[in-house]
Amino acid sequence: MNRIRGWPITLAEGPVGLRPLRLRDAAALRETRVRNAEWLRPWEPTHPEMPLQTTGITPYIAMLQAIRREARNGISMPWAVTYDGVFVGQLTISAIVWGSARSAQVGYWIDSAYAGRGITPTAVALAVDHAFFTVGLHRIEANIRPENQASRRVAEKLGFHEEGIRRRQLHIDGAWRDHICYALTCEDVPGGLLARWRRRRHVSETGPPQEGR
């Protein structure tokens, strides 16, 4: 067992929070994913342990047990995304590789009722900063379907670098799908990704400073 330094941990920025997923999240996870099935289906990997729709809670408990086991083994950090304390989605740093690579992937989804509030980029920035500056990872990828404009905007707002297409990378919605690889290394954000996101969000909300001010 190779426990991750700095895990488990709860992180927050204003009303946006990340906390480790727990078994008692199964009911909220089921309700949210069933309600958002059409919203999530085009982007979710085909995975029997993580159904989009089911009347039973058992598959969700099994999925939570599996990802919590991965966290104990040092290869995943699975968080619930919260907004004002309410469960609104999931963010996971997964496929963690140690040794000379020190790399991982970030994946995320959010309840459609909460989309457009800046929750997802804030959550990603929190997670990436923790992964780089506490856990000690060096590189994080976000692999996103070209058609998923909302997720691509998250990566682009945060300054992830587009590195090209990974052909037929994952089985999603009935077929093997291409993904665009976005990536960041810790050298890209020496002052932290969250600090950079705060600055960019401030400029987008207030506009650039005017000459003479």
Side-chain angles (χ1 to χ4, degrees):
M1 186 175 293
N2 180 22
R3 288 189 179 274
I4 298 171
R5 181 175 63 208
W7 179 266
I9 193 168
T10 297
L11 306 169
E13 168 75 1
V16 179
L18 291 175
R19 60 164 176 75
L21 276 167
R22 51 203 184 198
L23 291 181
R24 60 181 178 272
D25 287 321
L29 188 61
R30 176 184 60 178
E31 188 277 329
T32 306
R33 290 179 67 82
V34 169
R35 182 162 41 80
N36 286 272
E38 295 306 312
W39 165 263
L40 296 173
R41 180 173 288 109
W43 325 122
E44 286 287 307
T46 306
H47 197 318
E49 289 183 349
M50 191 179 230
L52 286 175
Q53 294 191 70
T54 179
T55 56
I57 202 167
T58 301
Y60 295 94
I61 293 174
M63 183 271 292
L64 288 167
Q65 289 172 330
I67 61 177
R68 282 162 58 86
R69 185 165 54 250
E70 290 181 352
R72 290 194 299 272
N73 290 333
I75 58 174
S76 176
M77 291 186 287
W79 279 287
V81 181
T82 62
Y83 188 75
D84 282 334
V86 176
F87 180 99
V88 297
Q90 182 179 346
L91 184 151
T92 304
I93 302 284
S94 64
I96 296 174
V97 178
W98 296 101
S100 58
R102 288 185 172 260
S103 65
Q105 297 180 21
V106 61
Y108 44 84
W109 62 266
I110 192 168
D111 187 333
S112 59
Y114 289 84
R117 305 189 193 187
I119 297 171
T120 304
T122 301
V124 173
L126 281 166
V128 168
D129 278 356
H130 184 70
F132 282 160
F133 304 116
T134 299
V135 176
L137 297 180
H138 175 254
R139 173 185 164 91
I140 294 180
E141 294 183 2
N143 293 297
I144 303 168
R145 284 191 62 184
E147 302 87 350
N148 192 345
Q149 294 297 327
S151 282
R152 291 182 63 184
R153 280 195 297 272
V154 169
E156 290 162 1
K157 285 177 182 177
L158 292 173
F160 277 71
H161 303 291
E162 184 177 333
E163 294 190 341
I165 295 289
R166 293 195 164 173
R167 298 181 64 248
R168 301 186 181 94
Q169 185 187 23
L170 290 174
H171 194 271
I172 294 176
D173 198 25
W176 291 100
R177 308 289 185 177
D178 293 349
H179 282 66
I180 299 174
C181 177
Y182 291 89
L184 272 182
T185 68
C186 60
E187 292 91 348
D188 293 324
V189 286
L193 184 55
L194 184 60
R196 187 166 76 181
W197 167 236
R198 286 182 188 134
R199 291 192 298 271
R200 290 186 176 184
R201 193 173 190 185
H202 177 74
V203 169
S204 70
E205 292 173 350
T206 64
Q210 296 183 13
E211 188 175 346
R213 286 190 175 182

